[in-house]
Amino acid sequence: MRTFLRELNFFRIMMSYNPPANKPTDAKDHYSVPADRATPSCIDSYFIEQIRRGGPMPFDRWMSLCLYHPQSGYYLNGNQHVGKDGDFFTSVSVGACFGMLLAQRVLNYLEQTEKTAQPLHLIELGANNGQLAKDILDHLLTSAPEVYSQIHYHICEPLEIPRNAQSKTLAAHAHKLTHHDSLAAIKSPFDHAIILSNELIDAFPVKLITHTEQQWAELYVDHTPELGFHFSPHPIQSPEALAFLAQLPPLPNGYTTEFRPGLDAFTANCARLIKQGMVLTIDYGYTHTAYYHPERSTGTLRTYHGHKAGENPLDLPTQQDITAHVDFTQLATSFQKHQLIPTYFNSQSRFLTHHSKAWLAHIEQHPETLPHKLIRQFQTLTHPTMMGQQFMVLECTKNAPPNPELTSTLELNRPDAFPKPANS
């Protein structure tokens, strides 16, 4: 969801050049919030009381509350998070080019499957203010009205404030839009569907685990008046985490990394809703070997506030973004377990360049129509020092035949690709 500082500075220069999460909440927890917005001192007091009552808090719960608490979670507190006035840039905030090319991916998919005349359901997760949906639908309406007439757009969003923002953004396409509380709230599967997410999985809460004294421990969040919020190691209780740790190579003492629990429930829900179609996931991350390389000794957890990257997720609770890279081997393994077979995995640069061929060919043939603004956005999205190599694209298609090359690239052929919890 964020670009690193060097790329952010380059992004600003380029943009000024003239020739660019069914996210878990816990509605049972409440605290007093002033009418305008929760103050940091009030928020600190809430977390201190939670720890006093329940003891040290697993980090995935801390992250979930910081990001998604229904009263003052980071994504729900009404502050501006995306763009130059927020904490980070996204591909969507670069401009309409990103949604235009995703719409072209939809058109290419329908052409490949020879289903251009059949209804298609687009289901977006983590839609923020609805801008990506608008960009996709705007392009389909103008470039392929016959396909647009067959499209219905779904957004999974349980909370009223984001829903209202999405409805406002998509007012011109209101007849195409249906809101759902979550994927699980959609009871009947669709004959033909694409589930889309952009920078969603990186915001799914993670457990922090550290290797100390020749064994693994889970880091919990504790608080004392002397130390404030701080980490304390505890024995690992999660069978899912223990099974995951059994896959890791020998790693040195002090090595700290992340484990993202609960992905299997998410991928199972995706598979349940698709009779034919695919899941398209865009995010930043690594495959297994690169993610858990011995030199990546502090993991990938980062925070973002005011376009500054940090590494202390205990600072500014609910006032800064918290994110961890995606383990694409773990994600693809879970999708494949539910018959969503990986059919594409590559950089955002290669993905968008491939699906821009017709657009770029048209520009080459008609240079008088050169859209300078869109071209600058395209450069930002695909340049290797900007967003092109930071993000990866994973497509998983229902009941597709296995692709041996992708199986190898995603490391799905490892003997422990499908670990089972110790008590299963």
Side-chain angles (χ1 to χ4, degrees), residues 42-198:
C42 175
I43 293 166
D44 285 354
S45 297
Y46 165 74
F47 280 103
I48 292 169
E49 178 63 16
Q50 289 289 300
I51 293 170
R52 187 192 68 80
R53 289 187 345 204
M57 181 183 297
F59 180 75
D60 53 333
R61 175 164 169 75
W62 170 274
M63 183 173 172
S64 179
L65 290 172
C66 284
L67 296 181
Y68 308 120
H69 192 286
Q71 288 182 275
S72 277
Y74 175 80
Y75 287 118
L76 309 171
N77 59 21
N79 295 338
Q80 174 70 30
H81 301 305
V82 181
K84 62 184 179 64
D85 295 325
D87 296 324
F88 49 83
F89 292 106
T90 71
S91 295
V92 179
S93 65
V94 170
C97 185
F98 186 63
M100 178 190 78
L101 294 179
L102 287 182
Q104 187 59 49
R105 173 62 187 116
V106 172
L107 294 175
N108 292 344
Y109 169 80
L110 291 173
E111 183 177 339
Q112 292 164 1
T113 57
E114 300 180 345
K115 295 183 182 295
T116 54
Q118 296 185 21
L120 175 67
H121 295 268
L122 297 180
I123 306 166
E124 186 181 353
L125 311 175
N128 194 23
N129 65 358
Q131 186 62 49
L132 178 58
K134 180 181 185 299
D135 293 339
I136 291 172
L137 291 171
D138 282 351
H139 184 72
L140 291 175
L141 177 60
T142 57
S143 65
E146 71 288 352
V147 172
Y148 176 84
S149 68
Q150 297 295 319
I151 294 285
H152 195 81
Y153 210 98
H154 304 256
I155 293 178
C156 291
E157 177 55 67
L159 297 159
E160 182 179 2
I161 292 176
R163 276 195 182 198
N164 290 341
Q166 293 156 8
S167 296
K168 182 177 180 180
T169 301
L170 290 162
H173 304 286
H175 61 296
K176 292 289 182 181
L177 178 64
T178 298
H179 273 110
H180 308 272
D181 285 345
S182 64
L183 278 177
I186 305 175
K187 299 305 180 186
S188 300
F190 299 108
D191 289 335
H192 198 203
I194 296 175
I195 297 176
L196 165 68
S197 70
N198 178 55

Side-chain angles (χ1 to χ4, degrees), residues 271-389:
R272 176 183 63 84
L273 292 176
I274 299 176
K275 291 183 179 179
Q276 297 181 63
M278 69 174 179
V279 180
L280 195 163
T281 303
I282 304 171
D283 222 315
Y284 44 86
Y286 309 104
T287 54
H288 182 91
T289 298
Y291 200 119
Y292 306 105
H293 192 282
E295 293 184 2
R296 201 179 302 282
S297 60
T298 59
T300 71
L301 193 78
R302 298 292 183 271
T303 63
Y304 293 86
H305 182 72
H307 293 290
K308 294 181 179 179
E311 295 188 355
N312 188 352
L314 307 187
D315 283 345
L316 302 173
T318 77
Q319 304 303 303
Q320 63 178 354
D321 192 20
I322 306 174
T323 175
H325 282 50
V326 176
D327 176 350
F328 277 104
T329 300
Q330 180 197 17
L331 182 62
T333 295
S334 189
F335 274 131
Q336 182 164 288
K337 178 180 176 181
H338 299 289
Q339 289 74 54
L340 285 163
I341 309 302
T343 48
Y344 183 90
F345 181 64
N346 216 318
S347 68
Q348 176 171 288
S349 178
R350 288 184 176 273
F351 173 81
L352 294 180
T353 300
H354 176 75
H355 292 293
S356 68
K357 288 179 180 178
W359 175 57
L360 295 176
H362 176 80
I363 292 172
E364 185 176 8
Q365 294 168 7
H366 304 278
E368 71 281 1
T369 67
L370 182 66
H372 294 282
K373 186 175 181 179
L374 287 175
I375 289 295
R376 290 197 299 272
Q377 293 172 13
F378 180 73
Q379 291 169 339
T380 299
L381 293 168
T382 58
H383 197 285
T385 65
M386 299 177 79
M387 293 180 166
Q389 295 298 319

Side-chain angles (χ1 to χ4, degrees), residues 180-218:
H180 308 272
D181 285 345
S182 64
L183 278 177
I186 305 175
K187 299 305 180 186
S188 300
F190 299 108
D191 289 335
H192 198 203
I194 296 175
I195 297 176
L196 165 68
S197 70
N198 178 55
E199 300 185 58
L200 171 74
I201 308 300
D202 67 86
F204 279 15
V206 295
K207 290 184 176 295
L208 285 183
I209 51 177
T210 188
H211 196 249
T212 179
E213 298 179 359
Q214 304 303 317
Q215 63 183 356
W216 289 100
E218 182 175 350

